[in-house]
């Protein structure tokens, strides 16, 4: 294996691990902070514990995402593309890309760059370091923007990696959705059903009612 091939392999390995972590964080945040979930109002909205968890996951997402977008970070995606272009004929590819195809990936990367300054601001002034005036810092980025940036980074990585070793990474399918919050909510529903029985003169709740909650 040539030196440049080995360097690219190491770059792809490091970036893949960061992208895997980011995708897990995205799914975890979505599991906690999803108003459409039945359990959100009762278990999440008023819980300080889950709010702290949501903030901490968001903090980790910003810090890891910054590793892939900031020009000074060793494993940023733009450096990856530039390295591939500069060493195109010095790398052993499964399917050699063209300068044009790599330039298109660079364009894809830059399409979401309008949000990069906000990510750097959050990382440098709020999360990784504490600025004296952090309460006055203004930024305009949403979870939707985070997800769009992540999707773009995953797509760029995937195209380069397929060309390199023919491995087509699908990050989302590796995630196992947590069931603990939903199962805890089911327990609360069964508990409420049990205690509500003492407040009314109706017959006791049935096993079928409990089964329905468990299967939901």
């Amino acid at each position: 294996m040539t030196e440049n091939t080995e360097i690219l392999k190491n770059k792809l390995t490091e970036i893949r691990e960061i992208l895997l972590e980011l995708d897990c964080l995205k799914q975890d945040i979505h599991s906690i902070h999803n108003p459409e979930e039945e359990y959100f109002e009762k278990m999440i909205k008023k819980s300080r514990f889950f709010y702290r968890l949501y903030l901490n996951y968001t903090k980790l997402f910003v810090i890891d995402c910054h590793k892939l977008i900031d020009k000074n970070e060793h494993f940023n995606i733009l450096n990856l593309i530039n390295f591939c272009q500069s060493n195109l004929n010095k790398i052993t590819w499964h399917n050699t890309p063209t300068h044009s195809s790599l330039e298109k990936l660079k364009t894809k990367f830059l399409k979401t760059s309008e949000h990069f300054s906000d990510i750097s601001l959050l990382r440098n002034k709020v999360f990784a370091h504490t600025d004296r005036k952090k309460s006055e810092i203004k930024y305009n980025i949403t979870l939707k923007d985070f997800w769009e940036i992540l999707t773009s980074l995953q797509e760029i990585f995937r195209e380069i990696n397929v060309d390199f070793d023919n491995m087509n990474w699908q990050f989302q399918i590796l995630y196992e959705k947590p069931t603990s919050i939903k199962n805890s909510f089911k327990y609360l529903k069964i508990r409420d059903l049990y205690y509500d029985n003492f407040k009314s003169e109706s017959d006791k709740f049935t096993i079928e009612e409990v089964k329905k909650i468990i299967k939901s």
Side-chain angles (χ1 to χ4, degrees), residues 98-197:
T98 64
H99 280 280
S100 176
S101 66
L102 291 169
E103 200 63 34
K104 287 179 181 177
L105 295 183
K106 196 178 294 186
T107 301
K108 181 189 284 286
F109 176 82
L110 295 174
K111 276 185 178 179
T112 57
S113 62
E114 64 182 293
H115 301 298
F116 292 175
S117 59
D118 279 334
I119 291 176
S120 293
L121 186 68
L122 283 169
R123 187 263 185 194
N124 295 329
K125 299 294 186 179
V126 180
F127 294 148
H129 308 283
T130 304
D131 192 272
R132 287 185 303 167
K133 298 181 180 180
K134 75 172 188 175
S135 61
E136 299 175 15
I137 294 173
K138 305 296 181 183
Y139 52 88
N140 184 31
I141 190 168
T142 66
L143 288 179
K144 183 180 178 182
D145 297 325
F146 284 145
W147 309 158
E148 288 177 356
I149 292 168
L150 177 57
T151 297
S152 176
L153 298 177
Q154 288 174 336
E155 289 174 352
I156 293 169
F157 169 86
R158 187 180 297 117
E159 288 193 40
I160 294 176
N161 200 79
V162 166
D163 284 337
F164 180 65
D165 64 9
N166 204 35
M167 287 286 290
N168 187 3
W169 276 88
Q170 302 296 323
F171 296 92
Q172 295 82 359
I173 62 173
L174 298 176
Y175 180 80
E176 292 185 12
K177 189 173 181 179
T179 58
S180 51
I181 300 176
K182 195 166 186 176
N183 287 339
S184 297
F185 180 62
K186 289 178 182 180
Y187 162 76
L188 288 180
K189 290 176 73 175
I190 293 171
R191 187 199 64 179
D192 290 345
L193 190 65
Y194 175 77
Y195 284 117
D196 285 346
N197 179 69

Side-chain angles (χ1 to χ4, degrees), residues 66-83:
H66 186 268
K67 297 174 185 177
L68 299 180
I69 63 164
D70 187 79
K71 63 181 180 180
N72 295 320
E73 294 283 353
H74 185 67
F75 293 108
N76 85 71
I77 295 289
L78 191 56
N79 279 351
L80 172 69
I81 300 171
N82 288 332
F83 178 82

Side-chain angles (χ1 to χ4, degrees), residues 25-41 43-47 50-55 57-58 142-144 147 175 177-178 181:
L25 287 168
K26 171 191 171 181
Q27 299 297 339
D28 284 340
I29 291 168
H30 189 66
S31 295
I32 297 169
H33 193 75
N34 183 5
E36 295 181 5
E37 288 285 1
E38 184 185 10
Y39 55 71
F40 182 79
E41 285 292 326
M43 294 197 64
I44 306 297
K45 192 173 181 180
K46 298 178 181 179
S47 169
F50 283 118
Y51 182 66
R52 286 196 302 271
L53 202 59
Y54 161 70
L55 287 181
Y57 281 157
T58 304
T142 66
L143 288 179
K144 183 180 178 182
W147 309 158
Y175 180 80
K177 189 173 181 179
I181 300 176

